[in-house]
Amino acid sequence: ISSHHAIWSASGLENSLFNFLALAGIWRVILDVRRASFPWSALLFFLLAITRPEGLMYAAIAGAWFLVFCLKDGLGWRPAVKWFFAFWLPYGAFILVRLWYFAMPLPNTYYAKFVTQGNYPQKWYARGWLQIREFSQRLWQGYLLPVYVFGLLGTRGTRGRLALGVVTLFGALLLLPGPDSLRHLWFWPGFPETVTYLQLRIIAITLVGGLLPFFALGRPGGRIRAVLWSFVFLAIGFSVLSNGDWMRGLRWMSLFTCEASILFAVGVDAILSWLAKYEPERKWSPVGWLVTALLIGVQVPPNYAFSHWYSTRWDDFPEMIRSRVKHTNALAAKLFLEEQLRPLDMDMGATMWWSGQYALDMAGLVDVPMALHTYEQRAFIQEYVFEEIKPHVAHVHAAWATGSKFKTYPEWDRDYFQYIGYVNYLQRNTFHDGIWARRDLIMKPRYGGPVNHAVSFQRAFSLVELSVPSPQVCAGCSVFVQSHWATERRRKPEDSVTVTAFMSRGDQLVSWDLPMGYTLLGRSLYPLDWWSPDDSFRGVYSLPIPSDIPSGTWDLGIVVTGSRGLPLGVAKNGRVTGGHVRTEDAQFAQGEVIFEGLIVVVPPTEVVEEANRDRIAALEASRGGDCQSGEDFWRLAWQHLPHDKRYKRIHTPEISSVLAECWAKRALSDPSNEVKHLVRAHKFDHNNPTFLQVSAPIAARLYAAGMDARQAGDADAAYARFSELLKFAPTRSWARKYAEEARDYRLKIKH
């Protein structure tokens, strides 16, 4: 019947395995004590402890109960010692391996979700308590609490009276002043919730809930009831300690619904036993059947309602995240970004599976520095996010934006802008907002390089530089054009400028729109009125060439049109560098600017030959030790065929390996810049044998220097050495641990 068990057992996460191991472990604890056999339950709890980090707490509780049961049965300490070693030998070995490899004894998720959390258990209105209260009210489980208590203690004798007292106490604590559904009733007593009252409520719930299972011992089935109650109570405590779960489906509740269902079942039986005292020979009388049907049937409506609600308001799922991945990758492709895209995001599973991106996990699940720190440690966020990583794109919105406070940093408004979001996977006519990009991906400092082709147009708009790096292209292919544009004054939203490029040869003409600031999904990415006079827009375009145009040399022309649809001429006292203006003999529009001979259309076989010539030049330059020329020639090679993914896919592995080897050797010949060169090598091929051979001793030397500085108490020097090492050897987990330790000393951060 449980909605949460159904949802999260089918989620593809570890919930169903965790529940299975927990129930199997409880069952074996009872059998191991009863039979005085090998403690197989310890091995089951070992598996539970490596399934989720908090599984260790369940193992501790199970081991404690095992000891209690053994002592109560007169078996002494020996079985408990066996249980202890049966659990800790494999788990200790597992922890040692994890510590050796990861430098931390528990998974990164533990530190992200638990260690760096605030003092949430004492906050009645924190998310953890709110989700428990939502579960209690929305699923009616709080109102059914008496059934669970009677399932633990029974309904007869002293235990029955204790159960009734506990139910009364819990009812008073939870219903006064009461949930919102009751407070509006005119007859409901109300009083203010003071801080003291809330603290006493939490303390009372903790003490009563923790001590209650001991009173179940001695009754039939009391042991397994006690362990079941302890596990339910521990799971609730974990939800509170971890401040709940970010998903709407109350995921943590699924971790105790199996144990709770058993307690509920025996609670129903206990109530029937109490009713049977009025009809000793007929426990399953019509009244008994009716009560059973009501108590079990009352579980159906809220669970059905929750399932129906969740089916229309589910949380993020892989295909939805894949839409965001495609969206950010489309931006990187449009910009021809040559480095690995670095997003700031929180949905790591689908992001890492589909994206090929180097993600900064703002939730800390796969990001060690983020896991070891909190959003309140602003000095860390300032340094790590905005100075070290500097993500290219960021998915920051809603509760994540509020909780992280990223938007309150001065770098946010200065360095990032929000652009059109990705298409909502569930509602195709809407866009998911909260997608940001780094401004310098599009706007660069004012261009100051060599000028070969430039024009100053009217209305203080100018083409700063235009080039076709690889002019040999083929019909049916694309031509790669890069340009820099600038405005001399701030623009208003209605002050639009349209740029058209065209290639001409005699009376033949092919034209394209060059969107200023780019477009994405049919919308402007960085509008003209956002431009600063101090910057220039770097526009790179892959312009498709029709398949039916003849080979030969073609001119490249530019026409700029103002908001009224009229071409803008060259400004008075303006300049035209490397070209000329055509008016009466214009082919596209009067005032067009022509740059002659920039494009050469050749047969497809020849353009591949041109690309291969540049590629071979890249290999030769790299093997000769001129790494930068190697990169430049490789760039020229693929720019002959900018949208031919097959060409890059075939040749990238070879050129990357050669460039990695080149930069690694450069680190040996230029030791003053060895880290910078190794970072370049790592970027191209981190598995290259030469890179691994060269980087190993340098990494060892930096690590030793970092350890020396650490022992000397020099946090600045220690952090410098460890962080340098991590730039080209990011898998060195102990260096990462000590780097974060030194960072905290440098920034005076206290956990």
Side-chain angles (χ1 to χ4, degrees):
I1 294 174
S2 169
S3 173
H4 306 84
H5 182 70
I7 291 170
W8 296 109
S9 291
S11 67
L13 299 176
E14 73 285 351
N15 300 64
S16 55
L17 175 63
F18 189 87
N19 284 330
F20 167 76
L21 291 172
L23 290 179
I26 295 172
W27 169 65
R28 283 302 314 185
V29 162
I30 304 302
L31 290 186
D32 290 345
V33 175
R34 183 183 304 166
R35 298 175 180 177
S37 61
F38 179 82
W40 293 104
S41 56
L43 297 182
L44 288 169
F45 280 106
F46 157 67
L47 296 176
L48 186 76
I50 65 174
T51 301
R52 287 184 57 85
E54 76 273 13
L56 181 61
M57 297 190 295
Y58 290 84
I61 294 296
W65 278 121
F66 187 87
L67 173 61
V68 170
F69 299 156
C70 288
L71 294 178
K72 193 170 182 63
D73 288 355
L75 300 177
W77 290 81
R78 189 171 182 178
V81 172
K82 288 182 180 179
W83 198 101
F84 179 86
F85 283 104
F87 173 82
W88 275 105
L89 284 178
Y91 188 72
F94 180 81
I95 291 298
L96 288 176
V97 172
R98 183 190 292 279
L99 192 63
W100 166 74
Y101 190 83
F102 294 106
M104 292 189 293
L106 293 173
N108 206 53
T109 53
Y110 168 79
Y111 303 94
K113 293 184 176 183
F114 190 77
V115 170
T116 58
Q117 297 288 351
N119 194 21
Y120 295 115
Q122 299 180 24
K123 299 178 181 179
W124 183 252
Y125 288 97
R127 185 175 64 183
W129 280 112
L130 288 174
Q131 289 185 351
I132 294 295
R133 290 158 59 193
E134 180 183 359
F135 175 75
S136 300
Q137 297 175 34
R138 192 170 182 177
L139 279 299
W140 302 359
Q141 299 307 301
Y143 304 108
L144 295 172
L145 181 62
V147 182
Y148 294 102
V149 177
F150 290 137
L152 175 66
L153 299 178
T155 56
R156 302 191 178 207
T158 303
R159 291 189 181 89
R161 290 189 290 273
L162 175 62
L164 188 61
V166 169
V167 168
T168 303
L169 174 63
F170 271 37
L173 288 172
L174 300 177
L175 295 179
L176 294 175
D180 294 336
S181 58
L182 296 176
R183 289 190 190 191
H184 72 279
L185 299 175
W186 64 270
F187 61 83
W188 194 258
F191 54 85
E193 286 184 322
T194 64
V195 174
T196 301
Y197 175 74
L198 294 178
Q199 293 290 322
L200 290 174
R201 171 190 276 172
I202 294 172
I203 293 172
I205 292 174
T206 303
L207 289 176
V208 174
L211 295 175
L212 204 58
F214 289 97
F215 293 93
L217 301 181
R219 62 170 304 210
R223 292 182 176 182
I224 200 163
R225 297 169 199 252
V227 181
L228 288 168
W229 178 279
S230 298
F231 274 40
V232 172
F233 192 70
L234 182 60
I236 292 173
F238 168 75
S239 179
V240 173
L241 287 171
S242 63
N243 198 30
D245 183 54
W246 65 272
M247 300 192 214
R248 287 185 288 266
L250 299 178
R251 179 161 55 121
W252 293 159
M253 309 305 109
S254 72
L255 298 179
F256 62 78
T257 49
C258 290
E259 292 88 343
S261 68
I262 302 172
L263 282 175
F264 189 85
V266 295
V268 172
D269 183 77
I271 293 173
L272 293 182
S273 298
W274 178 77
L275 291 173
K277 70 180 182 180
Y278 298 102
E279 295 181 86
E281 303 299 326
R282 299 184 62 195
K283 178 179 179 181
W284 289 100
S285 65
V287 174
W289 280 107
L290 178 62
V291 170
T292 302
L294 287 175
L295 289 176
I296 295 178
V298 78
Q299 296 271 16
V300 175
N303 280 281
Y304 172 80
F306 189 88
S307 295
H308 177 71
W309 172 85
Y310 188 74
S311 69
T312 59
R313 294 172 179 83
W314 46 19
D315 299 292
D316 290 353
F317 54 100
E319 286 296 337
M320 187 173 180
I321 312 307
R322 192 179 190 183
S323 297
R324 184 159 73 243
V325 164
K326 290 180 178 179
H327 187 65
T328 52
N329 278 340
L331 175 64
K334 182 176 287 291
L335 302 177
F336 288 92
L337 190 66
E338 295 184 33
E339 57 182 326
Q340 193 177 22
L341 186 70
R342 297 190 300 275
L344 173 65
D345 212 315
M346 73 292 296
D347 300 306
M348 289 296 103
T351 298
M352 297 173 69
W353 180 259
W354 279 307
S355 71
Q357 301 168 355
Y358 189 91
L360 190 163
D361 181 11
M362 63 187 296
L365 302 185
V366 299
D367 193 296
V368 174
M370 291 297 294
L372 298 179
H373 297 87
T374 68
Y375 296 136
E376 285 71 27
Q377 294 166 341
R378 294 179 65 86
F380 161 76
I381 298 294
Q382 178 89 33
E383 181 175 81
Y384 181 65
V385 176
F386 294 106
E387 297 176 16
E388 289 184 20
I389 303 298
K390 297 183 66 175
H392 296 112
V393 295
H395 174 226
V396 179
H397 77 123
W400 286 103
T402 304
S404 66
K405 301 181 179 66
F406 286 148
K407 296 180 182 180
T408 65
Y409 290 81
E411 289 83 359
W412 188 264
D413 288 333
R414 185 192 70 195
D415 297 341
Y416 290 86
F417 69 94
Q418 187 172 11
Y419 69 99
I420 181 67
Y422 59 96
V423 177
N424 194 313
Y425 189 81
L426 299 178
Q427 299 174 331
R428 294 292 184 176
N429 59 337
T430 62
F431 296 92
H432 191 294
D433 63 354
I435 307 297
W436 301 73
R438 214 170 69 200
R439 203 179 307 272
D440 64 0
L441 296 177
I442 297 175
M443 304 303 295
K444 303 291 185 180
R446 197 60 176 260
Y447 179 77
V451 176
N452 298 304
H453 307 93
V455 186
S456 296
F457 291 98
Q458 295 171 341
R459 300 186 183 177
F461 187 74
S462 60
L463 168 63
V464 180
E465 170 60 7
L466 177 74
S467 65
V468 182
S470 301
Q472 296 84 8
V473 296
C474 63
C477 302
S478 299
V479 57
F480 185 85
V481 175
Q482 58 186 25
S483 59
H484 291 266
W485 302 82
T487 179
E488 304 300 329
R489 56 179 173 81
R490 287 285 186 181
R491 299 283 176 168
K492 298 179 181 178
E494 63 273 11
D495 189 11
S496 64
V497 171
T498 302
V499 176
T500 304
F502 63 92
M503 55 184 285
S504 63
R505 182 172 181 263
D507 59 353
Q508 295 174 311
L509 192 72
V510 179
S511 65
W512 313 272
D513 287 333
L514 301 185
M516 294 293 96
Y518 299 119
T519 58
L520 196 64
L521 298 177
R523 301 191 183 187
S524 178
L525 188 63
Y526 200 91
L528 186 65
D529 56 289
W530 292 3
W531 292 23
S532 167
D534 298 327
D535 298 327
S536 61
F537 162 61
R538 179 180 178 270
V540 290
Y541 305 95
S542 177
L543 307 176
I545 299 175
S547 58
D548 57 351
I549 66 171
S551 299
T553 301
W554 293 68
D555 302 331
L556 183 62
I558 296 292
V559 173
V560 178
T561 306
S563 54
R564 296 183 180 180
L566 299 176
L568 302 182
V570 177
K572 292 181 180 180
N573 302 321
R575 60 183 174 84
V576 178
T577 304
H580 62 275
V581 181
R582 289 199 301 213
T583 54
E584 295 180 358
D585 58 341
Q587 287 185 298
F588 191 84
Q590 288 191 355
E592 64 191 25
V593 178
I594 297 296
F595 303 105
E596 296 180 348
L598 287 190
I599 301 174
V600 182
V601 178
V602 298
T605 55
E606 289 189 25
V607 79
V608 173
E609 289 176 1
E610 290 289 343
N612 285 337
R613 269 193 283 270
D614 288 331
R615 180 177 60 82
I616 292 171
L619 293 172
E620 291 176 349
S622 300
R623 287 169 179 152
D626 190 351
C627 311
Q628 189 57 57
S629 294
E631 288 192 39
D632 295 338
F633 276 118
W634 169 236
R635 191 176 297 110
L636 291 174
W638 65 257
Q639 285 175 352
H640 285 288
L641 301 160
H643 271 168
D644 189 344
K645 296 180 180 179
R646 182 173 175 271
Y647 185 85
K648 292 187 74 173
R649 184 173 63 252
I650 291 173
H651 297 294
T652 293
E654 181 186 21
I655 191 67
S656 295
S657 178
V658 173
L659 282 169
E661 183 175 348
C662 179
W663 284 113
K665 292 179 178 179
R666 178 68 67 83
L668 292 177
S669 61
D670 184 16
S672 61
N673 293 302
E674 61 184 8
V675 172
K676 182 177 70 172
H677 298 324
L678 288 176
V679 170
R680 300 291 294 174
H682 181 272
K683 166 194 169 184
F684 285 106
D685 185 1
H686 61 271
N687 288 320
N688 178 268
T690 303
F691 164 72
L692 295 175
Q693 182 181 3
V694 171
S695 63
I698 298 176
R701 172 162 43 84
L702 289 172
Y703 185 82
M707 291 301 293
D708 290 342
R710 179 175 180 264
Q711 292 175 4
D714 189 346
D716 290 327
Y719 180 76
R721 300 293 82 77
F722 289 130
S723 61
E724 285 178 340
L725 164 60
L726 291 166
K727 288 178 182 178
F728 63 87
T731 60
R732 295 289 294 264
S733 54
W734 283 93
R736 170 61 67 191
K737 177 179 179 178
Y738 293 139
E740 296 310 313
E741 176 189 83
R743 188 204 301 270
D744 289 351
Y745 280 110
R746 286 174 51 249
L747 302 179
K748 297 179 173 58
I749 291 175
K750 294 182 179 180
H751 290 295

